[in-house]
Amino acid sequence: MADLWAKKWGVKVSVITPSFNGMRFLPDCVASVQHALAGRDFEHVIADGGSNDGTLDFLAGQPGVNWKSEPDKGMYDALNKAASRATGEVIIHLNTDEQLNRKGVLAALDLIEADGLDAVLGPTVMVDGKGQFLQLFKQVITPRLIDASWHMPVQTCSFIYRKALWERHGYDSSYRLIADHLWFRRQMELGVRLGVVREPIGIFAWHGENLSSTEGKTSSENAMDSVTFSRSQLKRAKRVYRFRKLLAGGYSPKPVDYEIRKDGELKSVHIAKPRLKIRGNPRDLVS
């Protein structure tokens, strides 16, 4: 009986969400988690920083959500608080303006369970603030440590990892914008068994309220400051990474299907030839 239960439910999943005045997106985020993980053993842990936009009233009406509202030192402090309360073996970091794509999430969980991996990554659907498709961030290869030095090779909403990774090294809350990049790089330094799926896992929204769209314009934080690889090593690494991605089909705009919630409704979307790169700065293209 225990084996049948484990087969049906698998590892418990904790979705951790930092929150602050995100009611514009939060209802769809919460509903997305419930849909994507239906039939699984999961919890949604929300660490709110003291919202005053109706968020707390909404959360109070969500009996299936584990939430707490208190002052924090920013997003990464909230993430650490949520992770410390998480009881799942596997964690997904999902911001209030992000969603999960059920097919990709289930594929990633199947892989992490079957192969005993530490983490799984996959493509990310990029949409604007109204949920309209912008771009497919086609992550289809596992990065090397040096790849995490010249760029952030994963989108956090499309990166599923075992809680043991956070327990050995949490997020540095002294940073406002780049702690996830530094956290991922440190995990690579400590050693991580990575896997990859082809289905989009997360849905990321570009809009004028993103931290990267506000504080990112003037922030002095730079993840490259602590990089020890030489410029020539990084240059070679970029060529190798792009060649590996080319061979894996990462630059091929094949059709993509995903599910997204818009204004309370679940919609299935098919993009026959998805754009893989937006010209210009996406902050200038969305509101």
Side-chain angles (χ1 to χ4, degrees):
M1 181 64 70
D3 289 342
L4 290 176
W5 182 267
K7 184 176 181 181
K8 179 180 179 181
W9 293 104
V11 297
K12 183 175 182 178
V13 181
S14 294
V15 178
I16 60 173
T17 296
S19 166
F20 184 69
N21 289 341
M23 263 304 289
R24 174 183 172 189
F25 302 101
L26 186 58
D28 284 337
C29 172
V30 170
S32 166
V33 171
Q34 294 170 350
H35 172 70
L37 291 168
R40 301 283 311 197
D41 187 7
F42 77 94
E43 63 180 357
H44 194 174
V45 183
I46 297 180
D48 181 78
S51 295
N52 56 15
D53 65 342
T55 289
L56 305 189
D57 289 336
F58 168 77
L59 291 176
Q62 302 295 312
V65 176
N66 175 352
W67 67 278
K68 185 175 182 179
S69 183
E70 61 185 2
D72 59 44
K73 300 175 184 177
M75 177 173 67
Y76 300 110
D77 185 35
L79 279 173
N80 283 330
K81 289 180 177 183
S84 69
R85 287 168 31 217
T87 61
E89 182 182 342
V90 172
I91 283 178
I92 306 175
H93 164 195
L94 192 72
N95 292 324
T96 55
D97 54 1
E98 296 172 338
Q99 297 187 35
L100 295 177
N101 178 47
R102 178 174 172 83
K103 189 173 182 180
V105 170
L106 297 184
L109 291 174
D110 285 346
L111 182 59
I112 203 171
E113 293 169 354
D115 291 0
L117 299 170
D118 296 316
V120 173
L121 60 116
T124 303
V125 172
M126 305 291 196
V127 299
D128 64 18
K130 296 180 181 179
Q132 297 300 313
F133 179 82
L134 290 175
Q135 169 189 344
L136 178 65
F137 187 37
K138 203 170 180 181
Q139 299 156 302
V140 291
I141 61 173
T142 56
R144 302 167 299 162
L145 171 59
I146 193 170
D147 298 322
S149 296
W150 61 271
H151 79 311
M152 176 56 161
V154 302
Q155 284 287 332
T156 54
C157 60
S158 294
F159 184 67
I160 300 178
Y161 64 91
R162 294 189 184 272
K163 185 179 178 182
L165 297 187
W166 176 83
E167 290 174 334
R168 73 181 183 181
H169 183 74
Y171 297 97
D172 188 341
S173 60
S174 66
Y175 291 96
R176 293 281 299 171
L177 299 173
I178 64 171
D180 49 359
H181 187 172
L182 299 178
W183 178 86
F184 180 78
R185 184 190 301 163
R186 181 57 180 157
Q187 297 295 348
M188 294 291 286
E189 292 171 347
L190 293 172
V192 181
R193 294 167 297 167
L194 292 173
V196 62
V197 295
R198 294 286 177 142
E199 297 288 341
I201 296 175
I203 300 172
F204 176 95
W206 262 321
H207 54 85
E209 298 170 30
N210 292 129
L211 278 177
S212 59
S213 299
T214 54
E215 297 184 28
K217 297 179 179 180
T218 58
S219 175
S220 60
E221 293 181 3
N222 186 353
M224 295 290 291
D225 287 345
S226 57
V227 171
T228 57
F229 291 104
S230 68
R231 187 172 298 180
S232 61
Q233 287 176 311
L234 293 175
K235 189 174 181 178
R236 286 195 298 271
K238 290 180 183 180
R239 291 198 295 265
V240 171
Y241 181 89
R242 289 165 180 163
F243 182 66
R244 289 176 58 219
K245 187 173 179 178
L246 175 66
L247 292 180
Y251 299 116
S252 175
K254 294 184 178 180
V256 63
D257 296 276
Y258 63 93
E259 293 179 313
I260 185 172
R261 296 193 70 88
K262 296 181 183 179
D263 301 321
E265 294 185 12
L266 182 67
K267 300 181 181 296
S268 297
V269 179
H270 172 78
I271 305 296
K273 190 174 182 181
R275 182 166 44 185
L276 302 183
K277 186 175 179 59
I278 293 178
R279 293 184 179 180
N281 191 328
R283 291 197 299 255
D284 299 329
L285 302 178
V286 297
S287 58

